[in-house]
Amino acid sequence: NDDLDLSRLERTFVIRANDGFVGTFGAALASLAAQHAPQVQLRFAHQDNEDVEALREGQIDVDVGVIGTMGPEIRLQALFHDRFIGVVRSGHPLAESVTPESFASFPHVSVSRRGRFTGPIDEALAAHGLARGVTIAVANFADALAIVRASDHVVAVPDRLTEPARAGLHGFELPVKTDALAISLAWHPRFDADPAHWWLRGMVREACARAVKR
C-alpha cells in the first residue's frame, strides 16, 4: 500500500448502491475522494438487481446495501445497522399519534426494486390481525417520499439511509416490530491485494462512520 500515490491515481470506481445511500453518504465520499485522490472518479450504479456476476466480472467494484447471500467467494463487511421508520407529510393525522390500527388505516407506498406490494411490515401487522392497503409500489426512496410529501400515503423507510431526503417530513417509530437492517459492503476477493481498491473500501467505511457521528 506504500507504493500507492493517491494524488496521481487515475481510476473510475463503480459503486452499486441505492438512492438512499447516495443521498446520505455521497457527499462525504465525494469530499474524501477530492481530498485524497482528486483524479479518481466515482460512478454510482443503480441496484436494479443483486447479481453476483457484476462483482465477479468486475463491472462494479463494490456493492453497498442490504445484501443477501452472494456465495462463498464474495467478501462481505458490515458498515452499520439501520431500522425501518414510518414517514408521513407534516400535518398528517399519524404525526399526532400512531397505533397499529391507525397505521394500517391509511394507504401505503411500497419501496421495492422488484415491484413488490408486501413485505415484513405486512407480516407484523398480520400478527395483530391487521392488513394495510399498499396501493403504490415504486423502485426508490426518492419517489416514495415525493408521493408521501403531497398525499395522505404512508411509507416505511430505513431511518439512517433516508435522513437527508426526509427534510420537512414527519418520521415516527413503527407501531409494529421489524428486524434491524444490516447495511454491508461486498466485493470480489481478487481485489483484496489491490491497494487502490483497498483505499476505496476504507473510504466507504470512513464516509459511513462520519455520518454516524453527526
Side-chain angles (χ1 to χ4, degrees):
N1 212 31
D2 298 340
D3 301 333
L4 179 66
D5 183 354
L6 286 172
S7 67
R8 295 185 174 191
L9 179 65
E10 290 184 30
R11 189 154 157 186
T12 300
F13 291 107
V14 183
I15 301 169
R16 185 165 65 185
N18 64 34
D19 67 312
F21 182 84
V22 180
T24 305
F25 303 106
L29 280 167
S31 300
L32 285 167
Q35 184 184 340
H36 298 292
Q39 297 180 78
V40 157
Q41 294 179 311
L42 302 177
R43 190 169 98 234
F44 286 101
H46 267 306
Q47 279 187 318
D48 292 329
N49 47 35
E50 287 177 359
D51 63 327
V52 78
E53 280 71 30
L55 279 173
R56 198 180 284 136
E57 293 166 12
Q59 295 161 350
I60 61 172
D61 288 285
V62 292
D63 199 352
V64 182
V66 179
I67 296 169
T69 312
M70 279 195 148
E73 87 275 32
I74 298 298
R75 300 265 196 267
L76 206 60
Q77 183 175 44
L79 293 170
F80 61 91
H81 284 85
D82 210 342
R83 65 188 184 118
F84 278 109
I85 61 165
V87 180
V88 291
R89 64 170 171 76
S90 177
H92 191 287
L94 290 182
E96 295 301 313
S97 68
V98 185
T99 63
E101 289 77 13
S102 65
F103 177 73
S105 72
F106 285 92
H108 285 246
V109 183
S110 164
V111 184
S112 167
R113 290 195 310 277
R114 297 179 187 88
R116 290 178 180 158
F117 285 90
T118 58
I121 288 170
D122 299 281
E123 292 165 27
L125 283 169
H128 290 263
L130 295 166
R132 60 178 182 160
V134 182
T135 57
I136 300 177
V138 295
N140 60 61
F141 299 126
D143 288 349
L145 294 171
I147 290 166
V148 162
R149 200 177 285 280
S151 73
D152 282 341
H153 279 66
V154 187
V155 69
V157 293
D159 184 12
R160 297 252 324 273
L161 272 183
T162 61
E163 193 182 343
R166 296 196 322 267
L169 293 168
H170 176 78
F172 58 89
E173 196 89 38
L174 288 178
V176 292
K177 191 164 171 42
T178 56
D179 291 338
L181 303 166
I183 309 299
S184 301
L185 176 69
W187 70 94
H188 195 277
R190 76 156 167 283
F191 288 123
D192 277 352
D194 178 333
H197 202 278
W198 185 87
W199 166 77
L200 170 73
R201 300 192 303 268
M203 188 177 67
V204 171
R205 288 194 299 273
E206 187 179 339
C208 291
R210 278 186 179 191
V212 174
K213 291 175 191 148
R214 264 200 326 244

